[in-house]
Each structure stands twice: as structure tokens, then as C-alpha cells.
Amino acid sequence: SQELEQSPQSLIVQEGKNLTINCTSSKTLYGLYWYKQKYGEGLIFLMMLQKGGEEKSHEKITAKLDEKKQQSSLHITASQPSHAGIYLCGAAYSGGGADGLTFGKGTHLIIQP
Amino acid sequence: DVKVTQSSRYLVKRTGEKVFLECVQDMDHENMFWYRQDPGLGLRLIYFSYDVKMKEKGDIPEGYSVSREKKERFSLILESASTNQTSMYLCASARQGGRANEKLFFGSGTQLSVL
């Protein structure tokens, strides 16, 4: 089974509406990363969360880490067309960064005007 | 800003060909990674390297090899390309963070088609 589950797989949201994407790990997290990818391109780093209860924001995007649930949520407020793309969460299961990240399958976000 | 450069955005090869995918980073990062990305499967780690001439298998190393002769360059090699290796290949690099996590910086990807 997948170590890192992302939901939903895809999301269609009307411009201006809020939305939430979830990422749940079956193993203890050392760190949780959120990336955004435009179709056919590389991944752009959004945020990194390490401590339980940590919350970070960048422009209209907020991410939280629930250590007890081993879960992170990404929340977009007042969505815009520029938010469209694929959102991926990546989990670090050890420190140091040498082992890379395990990724969820991604959430395809479409913003309808 | 860190720059991770992949040599080709699009590549078309024939079955049985030897294929080299090149990746160069300009920030003196110790760690480098190769992932492939497929619809419905997400990103999967092929190989990674934490030092020059060092390499470690990821989750799906079969059919691939890597080379890291210089710190800034990490090459992915498909010894005999097959159609099931058609995919988007993503290279990434990161600092060695000791006890701390270090984020991965990604290249723009190479879309490889094997015919």
C-alpha cells in the first residue's frame, strides 16, 4: 500500500473559492514538503513542515502539520487561475536529506473562471 | 537561487538504444536524485547519490544505472531502452543537512519517449 496518500486525486474549483488538499502518511514523518508542478515541468518548492502543529503560509497558501495523525493539509484561500497545477506532498522519513523524499501521487487542481 | 539543469526537455529514442540523461546543479549540493513520474503512479525514486562516485538504489532501479564522476553532475543511464521506460524523468539535488531536513530542488524534467 502507498506510504503517502494524497486526496483528492483531482479537484475542480470555481475561481475565488477556498480548497483543501490532504496528505496522510502511514509512517512517522521526519518532515513534510509541499511542491507545485505545472504540467510537463519540474517541481517548485512551496513549504516545508517539521514540527507537529506547525503552520506556514505563502501568499494565499497555508499548510499545517498534524503530528498525531501524521497528516498535512494544504489550504488555498480565494483561488486564482495561477493556482492551477499539480500539488504534491513529499515525506522525509529520516533526517539529513540523503534518502530523498517519498511522494504522494499528486492532486490535479483545475480552477474554473 | 539553486539551478538544476537537465540537458533535454524532450527525447525520442528507439527500443534497445543506450540513453543518457544528464543533470547538473550549480550549488555544490552533496545529494542528487533521479525520479520518474508516471500518471497514476506519481514520482518514484530510481537512484540517488550522496557523494561523488557513491550511488544508492531507490525504489525502482531495474533497467537503470547512474554515474556521478563530479559533484555537480549526476547521469542516469538506460542501458537498453524499452517502451516501459517512456516517462517524465526528474532530477533533484539537496544539501546534506546533517540532522536537519533539506529541501529538494528539481530540474525542469526530461520527457522521454521510447518507440
Side-chain angles (χ1 to χ4, degrees), chain B residues 10-66:
Chain B
Y10 302 96
L11 213 50
V12 180
K13 296 291 180 180
R14 295 209 175 273
T15 303
E17 276 192 75
K18 190 169 185 175
V19 181
F20 292 86
L21 301 183
E22 305 286 348
C23 176
V24 177
Q25 50 95 2
D26 66 358
M27 280 300 290
D28 203 35
H29 284 174
E30 292 83 4
N31 302 326
M32 295 188 76
F33 310 85
W34 276 106
Y35 288 87
R36 64 177 282 178
Q37 183 178 29
D38 301 286
L41 296 175
L43 271 79
R44 293 178 291 167
L45 183 63
I46 306 171
Y47 265 98
F48 62 98
S49 167
Y50 53 87
D51 202 352
V52 175
K53 296 195 187 292
M54 305 301 288
K55 59 185 179 184
E56 295 285 341
K57 292 180 181 178
D59 299 318
I60 50 162
E62 297 78 19
Y64 302 94
S65 63
V66 290

Side-chain angles (χ1 to χ4, degrees), chain A residues 72-113:
Chain A
S72 178
S73 58
L74 184 88
H75 185 77
I76 298 178
T77 305
S79 57
Q80 299 168 354
S82 60
H83 289 130
I86 304 170
Y87 288 81
L88 295 114
C89 61
Y93 293 117
S94 63
D99 297 337
L101 300 177
T102 298
F103 284 90
K105 293 184 181 180
T107 296
H108 292 243
L109 175 62
I110 297 168
I111 307 294
Q112 272 186 341

Side-chain angles (χ1 to χ4, degrees), chain A residues 2 30-31 33 35 37 40-43 45 48 50 86 88 92 94-105, chain B residues 9 31 33 35 37 40-43 45 48 50 88 90 95-108:
Chain A
Q2 187 81 359
Y30 201 91
Y33 296 72
Y35 285 84
Q37 183 183 29
E41 296 183 12
L43 277 65
F45 172 79
M48 177 179 77
Q50 280 191 275
I86 304 170
L88 295 114
S94 63
D99 297 337
L101 300 177
T102 298
F103 284 90
K105 293 184 181 180
Chain B
R9 284 300 303 273
N31 302 326
F33 310 85
Y35 288 87
Q37 183 178 29
L41 296 175
L43 271 79
L45 183 63
F48 62 98
Y50 53 87
M88 167 71 103
L90 290 158
R95 282 193 310 169
Q96 183 63 34
R99 297 185 63 182
N101 272 296
E102 296 292 339
K103 69 183 184 186
L104 269 63
F105 293 86
F106 282 85
S108 299

